[in-house]
Amino acid sequence: MTESSGPEEQAFTPRDDDFAPLRWRSGTLYLIDQDQLPARTVWLSCTSVDDVIRAIRDRRIRGTAIGCAAAYAVAMAARAAVAQTPLPSPLELRREIDGVIARIGGPQPTPLIFWALAQMRNTGRIAEGARDPYMLADALEARAVAVHAEDVGRCRRIGHNGAALVPIGAAVLTVGNAGALASGGHGTALGILRTARAEGRQPRVVVCETRPFLLGSRLTAWELMREGFDVTIIPDGAAAAVLRRGDIGCVIVGADRVAANGDVVGHVGTYAVALAASAAQVPFYVAAGAAALDLELAHGGDAAIEERDGSDLLTIGEALIAPRDAISRYPIQDVTPAALVSALVTDTGVARAPFTRAMPALD
Amino acid sequence: MTESSGPEEQAFTPRDDDFAPLRWRSGTLYLIDQDQLPARTVWLSCTSVDDVIRAIRDRRIRGTAIGCAAAYAVAMAARAAVAQTPLPSPLELRREIDGVIARIGGPQPTPLIFWALAQMRNTGRIAEGARDPYMLADALEARAVAVHAEDVGRCRRIGHNGAALVPIGAAVLTVGNAGALASGGHGTALGILRTARAEGRQPRVVVCETRPFLLGSRLTAWELMREGFDVTIIPDGAAAAVLRRGDIGCVIVGADRVAANGDVVGHVGTYAVALAASAAQVPFYVAAGAAALDLELAHGGDAAIEERDGSDLLTIGEALIAPRDAISRYPIQDVTPAALVSALVTDTGVARAPFTRAMPALD
């Protein structure tokens, strides 16, 4: 991977007025370097499958953007293969591609990567009968672009389904970054805000800074402010007080997984805001693609939650913000019980309690 | 004010095993520079009343330590006056002292400064009949030391009253820094932990980092770890998840003010933790000196809460953590309704609901 100031302006991006954190141009995948935001806007260019695998492993991309990147990596592998001498046969190319897919997915691919790679594998199978390997490589590239466009399309449908929930002129509180930066473009929770804004609802946005990685202040504030949203950043601990004093019309957050009973597994901090919203009788909405619905997960409590154990909380930049030998250990996700969720907004519709009955219709 | 590596070890400190954030030695008041903790342990030496006023105004000292510093400033003024030629008469000295007290207190002294300065004023009045001004200056210095010692004594009584609430071997969660660093020494919430530890209850401590000023990770972790406590730092947003999974025996926090109905005005983030503790059925205890009980404040909602509006959330050290032109605006305190408070621990006793009846007995 190398850094650059980014692809030229005419680079592929789903729609001009929407930010996409990954762009495909002439066989190179450009990823915005989220670690450097908001101080610098730097694009990482991935020119090989290994570059993409490294970017995924190092968490340089998040959310459904990971699936899009995985699809582009397969297209990249196909392009590289047909540039070789001797030219592989369509069958040889498909075997090569299957190997690459296994490598990207790893032993336990996340649902997002799994879905994207299944699309690519199917495309490879269908196009195997193609007369020449170039056609197969072209089909795989077209499919990767389609995987990306479908992801943006899902976000747009989430936005369309959820926009009417945003009271006109209201302040909407959000946690983390369920935005364009965590998707192919448009975003889930922030997609609803974008669509609501496009519909003239003039939402103002109150963003929890969302420690430890400051996804709210670094990323959500950045992507909304560049589009002219009215954004106010608050400390995570202030959300409850701000909700209690009646400033907020509704809360909209994203989700990593939604269990069959409607429990929401999301970025740590989500549950605390859900409790505060409930106490203040402010609606709490969860936005997620249908792919995040996990009907095999009966309850959120059954989800495996990663425990972080490291130095995330000890320094920011050069500044030491805790004793050097302090221990920090915390769950990186939390579970919001379905009882605190006013509605779940997906690309296929809006579900309200009882979720056990409403959710299968969305799947 | 000048920086130094601190007063000699034999400097006044209430008890050797307890940390005091301010020390009085040979007419100089040493304050630990909390802004530089935990990276550096630097003491600021105040040699004039103006130094102390500046330290208070710049929020270099917090909590009841402010009252102690104010008292020492008066003693400092008296020492300076009796070093002058010609020597002032006791009456002249008392007038000088009254002027200094008015200057330190300002037009609207906080309750803490008000109380400490009232002690000093009374001492001045009582000692006015002294034969010479040196005796009056000595009486004022002795009174300042007593004001400090009384503050530590109150914290010790809070610790004594609250220690039995800490389940043996339990993890105790706290927010902010209601510690030695916010008092003459020992601390309120952390005073309970210190006493519980001295009694063999072996509390482990889970500290919310407490944005925006990181009072938990910078100060609470520092002051507890230097005494050998087992400390784990978590992001503020993780407190609800950590409470929900059953890891915490009880929550103990400090308070800025407690209203007559038991509502607690405290550092922003306290209310969010109270909600989460209630949802998880974990006891939520509030520690405060009787001086913080404000029976004239009927409800917490009536308290004036300062709104911060600035760049606190935009940078940490040199690192830019939000868009440069972002707006941050939030209340620096919040109100925890009495219904979420399991017990209030003061130096005069322990009150439980209904607080309206229990609290006047503590006052």
Side-chain angles (χ1 to χ4, degrees), chain B residues 101 113-123 125:
Chain B
I101 287 173
I113 299 185
F114 187 82
W115 174 82
L117 293 178
Q119 304 289 310
M120 300 307 286
R121 193 181 292 110
N122 289 342
T123 304
R125 279 197 194 119

Side-chain angles (χ1 to χ4, degrees), chain A residues 38 209 211 217-218 225 232-235 237 240 244-245 268-269 271 307 316 321-323 325-330 337, chain B residues 38 209 211 217-218 225 232-235 237-238 240 244-245 268-269 271 307 316 321-323 325 327-330 337:
Chain A
E209 60 174 358
R211 292 279 292 153
S217 57
R218 288 200 307 110
M225 285 174 68
T232 304
I233 302 171
I234 62 170
R244 186 176 163 85
R245 70 184 184 191
V268 70
Y271 169 48
E307 188 86 1
I316 294 185
I321 58 167
D325 49 349
I327 288 168
S328 87
R329 187 173 163 80
Y330 59 92
Chain B
E209 60 174 358
R211 291 281 292 151
S217 57
R218 288 200 308 111
M225 286 175 67
T232 304
I233 302 171
I234 62 170
R244 185 177 163 85
R245 70 185 183 191
V268 71
Y271 169 50
E307 188 86 359
I316 294 186
I321 58 167
D325 49 348
I327 289 168
S328 88
R329 187 175 163 80
Y330 59 93

Side-chain angles (χ1 to χ4, degrees), chain B residues 21-357:
Chain B
L22 75 176
R23 294 172 186 188
W24 174 253
R25 176 127 191 104
S26 310
T28 296
L29 177 64
Y30 294 88
L31 303 173
I32 194 161
D33 187 351
Q34 307 198 2
D35 292 347
Q36 299 203 49
L37 289 176
R40 296 175 64 214
T41 308
V42 170
W43 292 80
L44 303 169
S45 51
C46 298
T47 53
S48 70
V49 173
D50 285 338
D51 280 353
V52 180
I53 289 176
R54 203 173 315 124
I56 293 172
R57 191 196 56 204
D58 296 350
R59 301 181 195 232
R60 299 243 176 200
I61 21 182
R62 296 175 306 111
T64 56
I66 298 173
C68 304
Y72 282 127
V74 176
M76 205 179 271
R79 277 182 84 114
V82 297
Q84 282 169 1
T85 314
L87 192 67
S89 72
L91 182 64
E92 283 168 339
L93 178 54
R94 197 197 122 188
R95 283 194 184 134
E96 161 90 20
I97 292 305
D98 281 348
V100 166
I101 287 173
R103 200 144 62 84
I104 299 170
Q108 286 186 308
T110 66
L112 296 164
I113 299 185
F114 187 82
W115 174 82
L117 293 178
Q119 304 289 310
M120 300 307 286
R121 193 181 292 110
N122 289 342
T123 304
R125 279 197 194 119
I126 292 162
E128 198 189 338
R131 266 170 326 184
D132 65 57
Y134 294 109
M135 280 183 64
L136 176 49
D138 286 349
L140 287 166
E141 179 167 355
R143 187 67 213 151
V145 172
V147 162
H148 186 179
E150 275 173 43
D151 191 59
V152 178
R154 266 193 301 276
C155 289
R156 291 196 183 285
R157 287 195 294 279
I158 292 170
H160 176 78
N161 291 337
L165 298 172
V166 178
I168 291 171
V172 178
L173 187 140
T174 190
V175 186
N177 175 255
L181 287 166
S183 67
H186 200 67
T188 53
L190 303 193
I192 293 176
L193 291 172
R194 285 190 167 90
T195 306
R197 185 156 179 256
E199 290 180 0
R201 294 183 167 269
Q202 302 181 302
R204 289 169 292 127
V205 189
V206 175
V207 180
C208 293
E209 60 174 358
T210 318
R211 291 281 292 151
F213 303 119
L214 298 159
L215 299 183
S217 57
R218 288 200 308 111
L219 305 185
T220 293
W222 181 84
E223 71 165 86
L224 293 181
M225 286 175 67
R226 66 185 287 288
E227 293 173 20
F229 273 89
D230 176 339
V231 173
T232 304
I233 302 171
I234 62 170
D236 302 328
V242 168
L243 280 158
R244 185 177 163 85
R245 70 185 183 191
D247 295 359
I248 304 294
C250 68
V251 176
I252 309 181
V253 300
D256 295 334
R257 290 167 83 184
V258 183
N261 71 339
D263 288 354
V264 172
V265 182
H267 192 283
V268 71
T270 305
Y271 169 50
V273 170
L275 281 172
S278 171
Q281 297 185 287
V282 172
F284 181 88
Y285 300 124
V286 176
L293 309 190
D294 188 349
L295 298 185
E296 288 174 20
L297 184 70
H299 300 89
D302 298 339
I305 303 257
E306 187 197 344
E307 188 86 359
R308 290 282 290 194
D309 190 350
S311 58
D312 303 331
L313 299 182
L314 308 188
T315 54
I316 294 186
E318 302 292 307
L320 186 69
I321 58 167
R324 218 172 291 274
D325 49 348
I327 289 168
S328 88
R329 187 175 163 80
Y330 59 93
I332 193 66
Q333 293 173 309
D334 62 22
V335 178
T336 298
L340 300 176
V341 178
S342 307
L344 173 66
V345 183
T346 76
D347 46 311
T348 53
V350 177
R352 292 181 183 269
F355 292 98
T356 319
R357 230 176 319 155

